[in-house]
Amino acid sequence: MEQPVQTETWKAQSLEELVRILHKIFAEDKVSVEEVQALMESYESNPEEWLKYAKFDQYRYTRNLVDNGNGKFNLMILCWGEGHGSSIHDHTDSHCFMKILQGNLKETLFQWPEKKGNGEMTKKSERVLRDNQCAYINDSIGLHRVENISHTETAVSLHLYSPPFDTCNTFDQRTGHKHKVTMTFYSQYGERTVCATAVPQENN
Amino acid sequence: MAAAADGDSPELELPRRGPAEPELESEPEPELALAAELSARRSAEARQLVLSPRRLSGPLPAGLSQWFPALEVLDVSGTGLAEMGAELLSLPCLHTLLAKNNRLGGPGSLPKGLGQAPLARSLRVLNLSGNRFAEVPPALLRLHGLRSLSLGGNRLHSIPPDIQELRSLEFLYLGGNFITSIPPELAKLPCLKYLVLCDNKIQSIPPQLAQLHSLRSLSLHNNLLTYLPREILNLVHLEELSLRGNPLVVRFVRDLTYNPPSLQELAGRTIKTRNVPYAPSDLPETLVRYLSLASNCPNPKCGGVYFDSCVRQIKFVDFCGKYRLPLMHYLCSPECSSPYSSASQSSTSQSESDSEDEASVAAHRMQKVLLG
């Protein structure tokens, strides 16, 4: 993604409109990170529009595909039960936008572990993201862990990844040791998808 | 103020609520006005009633069970409720009660006679998260039909051993309290699938927890754990385990404080390892019982037993090939090495411990792990 000559200021009035504008933006050769982030933030979360994608799992957070962006991006909704969190992970050379639709999510940024290092990973910063805020990360910025730290409220977030990816690395905070994992969707386009696989997977 | 109830649907919301509820600073609902409104909206078919985010000024209005006799789900979250009131006991079909973010926790929070009411058998889901409970109310433990219990974000300092009475429990959320230890009786919940103990002050996990055969997900992050009992590898159905934010021992630590065995212990070991026959009539009852408490040394090459005298060792198991878990072993003597270490006996160096046999088989059984 690079900076185009002119950056539009979009206002998405609905989730459908957000998807429409995203398709438009990503049809171009060059896409601006700032433009996408502003667009995502401009959409005011309306649960009636996304409730059908918000499928919660008792045990862990879920990834629910909303739109596959004609192969240019994946737009998905993540549902976090109380106390649910992710591993520390990278983003496989892709751009990651994360917008809060409901509740709060804590994002903790980590430095990449040293190649030869075998010690505790270094925390860079942490923040709590609130309603409608949109965060951005890519591999050059660092790694992060996302968690719903509330014991009483669930959280829902809208994620955009470009280009789409289905594997990433997860990291052990205490040692920096990394492990490649495959990600799966709990549902796609509002329909629950059950995949039976022999290989153990991590839903990250 | 209140949304109209849909005549066709069995659900009644007063008012219609979205998934996100801001904390309202409105005046408490005058009791009479609320009672009048509920009475006016009475329905013999309504199965769900949502009272939040109204602020209630007292307990649940009397008459609730007459106006909504078919009620199965009652949501009074965020209403400022300080006590439930006896009205709850008259709801014959209630299976789900959501009462999070209230002022419950003091004496009288739960109605008297809860244990004897039909509710004790019919209630399946109870959410009391975000309240002020400093202890698990004993009455709660009479809810033998309970499948799901949440006491997250309260002020609990301990878990009562009588938790084992909740025999049907599948889901137990105790995150965000001040719990310092786990009673072994918690392991007597045969149906428990999801156990959340994150954000507490827990220093150790009792090895008995490995008896939770149905456990699928265990959340232990943000506690004070330095190691885990090796029995944790016996949880064959465990798919998720969170351990981040614990001061888990990273370097190999050898506990050098070893109390040499007593004569009784040495004699007991000999009887056991040499299979010296004995009958209850041969020995005093205390010694018969003592002999029955022999534990096997985990070193497969040793085959020895120990009673009280053992060496605590922290060994690292390469867990599912992902990271090292410090697991506590008990060995019969400092010369014994654990099955998890490589062939060499002495381990004064921080040598890597490979996942051998037993450990790797057990590790493969655990399919997914949330990295700490």
Side-chain angles (χ1 to χ4, degrees):
Chain A
M1 289 188 183
E2 288 167 28
Q3 201 79 13
V5 176
Q6 243 186 344
T7 312
E8 303 258 6
T9 311
W10 304 100
K11 169 73 181 165
Q13 308 279 7
S14 71
L15 183 61
E16 247 180 38
E17 189 170 42
L18 174 64
V19 172
R20 258 200 320 271
I21 300 174
L22 282 169
H23 275 261
K24 224 165 144 180
I25 292 178
F26 279 90
E28 303 295 321
D29 291 331
K30 295 178 182 174
V31 182
S32 144
V33 166
E34 287 75 16
E35 192 175 0
V36 174
Q37 191 165 9
L39 168 66
M40 296 272 285
E41 271 205 17
S42 78
Y43 165 58
E44 281 174 42
S45 170
N46 180 352
E48 280 176 17
E49 292 170 0
W50 47 257
L51 223 45
K52 69 183 234 197
Y53 302 108
K55 299 183 189 308
F56 283 83
D57 183 82
Q58 185 178 221
Y59 302 105
R60 52 174 309 139
Y61 72 92
T62 61
R63 304 168 83 243
N64 304 275
L65 184 66
V66 174
D67 191 89
N68 74 354
N70 284 337
K72 298 274 185 71
F73 63 85
N74 266 353
L75 187 69
M76 63 190 76
I77 280 178
L78 271 61
C79 296
W80 313 75
E82 296 90 325
H84 287 177
S86 78
S87 317
I88 302 173
H89 58 273
D90 63 11
H91 298 88
T92 320
D93 294 323
S94 288
H95 303 265
C96 159
F97 301 83
M98 172 171 71
K99 177 199 173 70
I100 308 296
L101 295 178
Q102 178 199 303
N104 302 107
L105 289 174
K106 177 172 157 185
E107 181 193 32
T108 310
L109 286 183
F110 289 87
Q111 276 179 16
W112 280 88
E114 305 285 319
K115 272 224 151 67
K116 290 237 159 119
N118 196 20
E120 182 95 26
M121 284 174 69
T122 312
K123 235 185 247 193
K124 279 168 66 166
S125 64
E126 62 182 43
R127 57 175 167 168
V128 175
L129 297 161
R130 310 208 176 267
D131 272 8
N132 287 311
Q133 264 190 284
C134 180
Y136 169 77
I137 193 170
N138 66 43
D139 281 349
S140 67
I141 292 173
L143 309 165
H144 71 179
R145 181 197 305 286
V146 181
E147 29 182 354
N148 176 12
I149 55 175
S150 173
H151 299 293
T152 59
E153 314 306 322
T154 59
V156 181
S157 52
L158 182 68
H159 296 236
L160 185 147
Y161 299 100
S162 177
F165 58 96
D166 59 7
T167 67
C168 71
N169 290 300
T170 60
F171 295 79
D172 173 15
Q173 186 170 344
R174 292 178 307 121
T175 61
H177 179 79
K178 77 175 181 195
H179 179 77
K180 186 174 175 186
V181 296
T182 308
M183 297 121 81
T184 58
F185 289 116
Y186 193 76
S187 76
Q188 297 190 38
Y189 315 111
E191 301 284 329
R192 175 88 173 88
T193 48
V194 185
C195 34
T197 47
V199 179
Q201 294 181 350
E202 278 200 26
N203 191 348
N204 194 33
Chain B
M1 187 161 66
D6 184 343
D8 293 322
S9 114
E11 190 177 308
L12 187 64
E13 292 191 358
L14 301 175
R16 178 172 296 284
R17 66 185 266 257
E21 294 164 10
E23 187 78 0
L24 290 189
E25 290 298 327
S26 55
E27 288 291 313
E29 200 71 44
E31 284 186 56
L32 288 178
L34 178 64
E37 188 182 338
L38 287 173
S39 175
R41 295 217 175 296
R42 70 174 71 200
S43 157
E45 290 85 31
R47 297 216 285 269
Q48 297 194 41
L49 177 61
V50 180
L51 283 183
S52 36
R54 303 180 156 208
R55 307 294 289 176
L56 299 177
S57 55
L60 295 171
L64 198 64
S65 56
Q66 285 158 30
W67 304 322
F68 305 102
L71 216 52
E72 295 174 6
V73 177
L74 177 60
D75 189 344
V76 292
S77 300
T79 56
L81 215 52
E83 29 178 87
M84 295 285 208
E87 194 57 29
L88 197 61
L89 304 179
S90 313
L91 293 166
C93 309
L94 197 69
H95 62 62
T96 296
L97 176 59
L98 309 174
K100 60 181 194 178
N101 297 324
N102 283 310
R103 294 182 296 151
L104 299 164
S109 295
L110 299 180
K112 277 194 172 57
L114 181 61
Q116 292 74 39
L119 203 62
R121 286 186 306 277
S122 63
L123 200 64
R124 296 269 175 273
V125 177
L126 179 57
N127 189 334
L128 294 170
S129 62
N131 279 287
R132 304 170 184 187
F133 287 96
E135 58 166 28
V136 180
L140 200 149
L141 301 174
R142 305 279 191 69
L143 300 171
H144 291 163
L146 213 56
R147 302 249 164 92
S148 169
L149 173 62
S150 176
L151 281 161
N154 276 278
R155 304 172 186 178
L156 302 176
H157 284 264
S158 63
I159 305 169
D162 284 344
I163 192 95
Q164 61 179 315
E165 290 189 30
L166 297 177
R167 293 181 292 271
S168 308
L169 210 58
E170 295 174 21
F171 177 108
L172 180 58
Y173 194 108
L174 295 171
N177 281 286
F178 303 106
I179 297 168
T180 53
S181 70
I182 302 170
E185 289 80 357
L186 185 61
K188 300 237 177 89
L189 296 172
C191 308
L192 200 64
K193 291 200 199 128
Y194 187 52
L195 177 59
V196 179
L197 295 166
C198 63
D199 294 297
N200 276 291
K201 308 277 178 206
I202 300 167
Q203 295 181 27
S204 70
I205 305 292
Q208 292 88 344
L209 226 62
Q211 289 158 28
L212 288 168
H213 299 299
S214 303
L215 202 63
R216 201 209 116 148
S217 183
L218 177 58
S219 162
L220 291 170
H221 58 271
N222 298 333
N223 273 290
L224 299 172
L225 298 169
T226 49
Y227 65 89
L228 297 177
R230 68 182 266 261
E231 287 82 356
I232 204 122
L233 290 175
N234 296 341
L235 290 168
V236 292
H237 295 295
L238 198 68
E239 290 181 15
E240 275 104 31
L241 169 64
S242 65
L243 289 170
R244 63 187 181 274
N246 278 288
L248 291 174
V249 177
V250 179
R251 294 170 191 280
F252 178 78
V253 167
R254 174 124 178 201
D255 187 336
L256 293 173
T257 61
Y258 167 60
N259 293 319
S262 61
L263 273 177
Q264 177 175 289
E265 164 112 25
L266 287 173
R269 289 189 185 191
T270 306
I271 289 173
K272 283 287 175 182
T273 52
R274 308 248 172 131
N275 285 317
V276 175
Y278 65 94
S281 52
D282 299 326
L283 300 168
E285 201 207 309
T286 49
L287 286 181
V288 174
R289 213 173 329 126
Y290 179 80
L291 286 172
S292 71
L293 291 174
S295 301
N296 291 313
C297 180
N299 181 358
K301 299 195 180 80
C302 171
V305 300
Y306 63 90
F307 294 85
D308 311 308
S309 175
C310 60
V311 179
R312 290 167 59 236
Q313 274 196 352
I314 292 182
K315 287 282 189 173
F316 292 87
V317 176
D318 205 338
F319 204 57
C320 307
K322 287 172 192 176
Y323 69 116
R324 301 183 128 65
L325 263 190
L327 298 180
M328 187 63 97
H329 292 318
Y330 292 90
L331 301 170
C332 64
S333 76
E335 282 71 51
C336 248
S337 63
S338 103
Y340 304 128
S341 71
S342 50
S344 78
Q345 304 274 18
S346 64
S347 345
T348 46
S349 69
Q350 292 159 25
S351 53
E352 315 271 83
S353 46
D354 319 297
S355 35
E356 300 272 23
D357 307 331
E358 202 183 312
S360 60
V361 167
H364 282 313
R365 279 196 233 122
M366 300 189 58
Q367 289 151 359
K368 290 191 247 181
V369 176
L370 271 175
L371 292 176

